[in-house]
Amino acid sequence: MDNINQIIRERRSHYPHEFNGLPLDDSLIDTLIENACWAPNHTLNFPWRFIVLKDEALKNWLQLVLNNFIKDTPAEKFNQKKADKIQTYQTQVSHAIVLVCEHDSESLNKQKEDLLAVACGVQNMYLSLSQFPSAGGYWSSGMGTYGIAMHNYFNLKSNQVLMGYFMLGSLDKKRIDSHRKDFRQFIIS
Ligand SMILES: Cc1cc2nc3c(=O)[nH]c(=O)nc-3n(C[C@H](O)[C@H](O)[C@H](O)COP(=O)(O)O)c2cc1C
């Protein structure tokens, strides 16, 4: 087994422009979701919910993302390159896992913990990708994550919160390099 330090430090976000457009196996998506469910969560209330988008459902959603970008961006801020980039997602992205947090309590502290637990689950997805040399992805909190339009598009209930999307695709080669600041500066003495 690879060294856990190496797995953590070589975990990278890979973006749609890096994907080669080949489809990923559905079993890989199942592995990511199954491992997400092993994340820590307070009182084992399993606050995560997932919607898997692929094929037509993925295309339709990405078309909506593009339409909303065109509709909601003021003319003076409109960037055709960004619109073209979103358009390429339709051919590059294999699956998107819609990340949802479901609250089972009115307590704001509990709800905070639910969100944190889902984030732990997403980290498990990220780390699980290390076992697949030609699959990559990243957590996107763009594409309307915090707006009511997407909440309604996915038929979410009032106790469900959209937390973004895990965008996935096939890679020819993985990037592993990055940098972090010296950890000592984050220790409050
Ligand atoms: C909560 C969260 C939301 C994110 N949303 C976005 C996003 O909307 N767009 C994006 O390009 N990257 C997004 N990322 C990925 C970060 O940009 C990425 O983790 C960071 O650049 C570090 O790169 P690495 O993951 O390869 O170490 C998000 C990450 C987190 C944790």
Side-chain angles (χ1 to χ4, degrees):
M1 185 188 175
D2 287 329
N3 180 296
I4 184 71
N5 295 330
Q6 187 186 356
I7 292 174
I8 289 172
R9 293 171 201 184
E10 293 186 352
R11 176 213 55 78
R12 291 279 73 76
S13 294
H14 289 92
Y15 301 97
H17 70 268
E18 299 176 274
F19 301 160
N20 60 23
L22 295 173
L24 296 175
D25 208 286
D26 288 338
S27 64
L28 180 154
I29 307 301
D30 284 348
T31 300
L32 299 192
I33 293 177
E34 186 170 7
N35 286 346
C37 295
W38 281 94
N41 62 110
H42 198 178
T43 68
L44 290 183
N45 69 336
F46 311 114
W48 37 72
R49 299 290 181 273
F50 307 99
I51 303 167
V52 179
L53 301 179
K54 65 170 187 168
D55 300 331
E56 277 310 294
L58 176 65
K59 283 206 170 58
N60 291 341
W61 169 64
L62 287 170
Q63 189 59 48
L64 176 75
V65 169
L66 179 61
N67 293 347
N68 285 351
F69 175 74
I70 294 168
K71 178 167 66 72
D72 298 338
T73 312
E76 66 278 11
K77 288 198 177 150
F78 185 79
N79 179 341
Q80 186 59 46
K81 273 197 181 146
K82 176 133 193 235
D84 292 344
K85 193 168 124 187
I86 297 172
Q87 183 119 48
T88 65
Y89 289 8
Q90 299 202 10
T91 49
Q92 301 302 102
V93 176
S94 169
H95 293 70
I97 303 174
V98 183
L99 306 166
V100 176
C101 178
E102 182 170 300
H103 301 303
D104 61 1
S105 159
E106 295 295 314
S107 154
L108 292 183
N109 284 340
K110 195 71 192 49
Q111 294 188 359
K112 218 186 291 174
E113 293 189 342
D114 292 338
L115 297 167
L116 298 171
V118 176
C120 292
V122 179
Q123 177 72 343
N124 276 6
M125 289 190 179
Y126 258 121
L127 294 173
S128 299
L129 279 172
S130 67
Q131 70 191 289
F132 302 105
S134 19
Y138 80 110
W139 182 351
S140 168
S141 55
M143 298 183 284
T145 291
Y146 301 117
I148 189 70
M150 282 303 170
H151 185 97
N152 291 338
Y153 182 77
F154 291 115
N155 284 321
L156 299 185
K157 295 181 251 168
S158 59
N159 65 334
Q160 294 175 324
V161 178
L162 183 58
M163 292 183 66
Y165 319 93
F166 206 82
M167 309 290 286
L168 290 144
S170 182
L171 296 167
D172 293 327
K173 191 173 186 320
K174 279 197 178 181
R175 277 184 297 103
I176 54 170
D177 290 337
S178 187
H179 70 282
R180 290 297 189 265
K181 294 178 179 173
D182 189 309
F183 72 95
R184 293 175 196 87
Q185 75 186 80
F186 301 113
I187 300 173
I188 300 171
S189 49

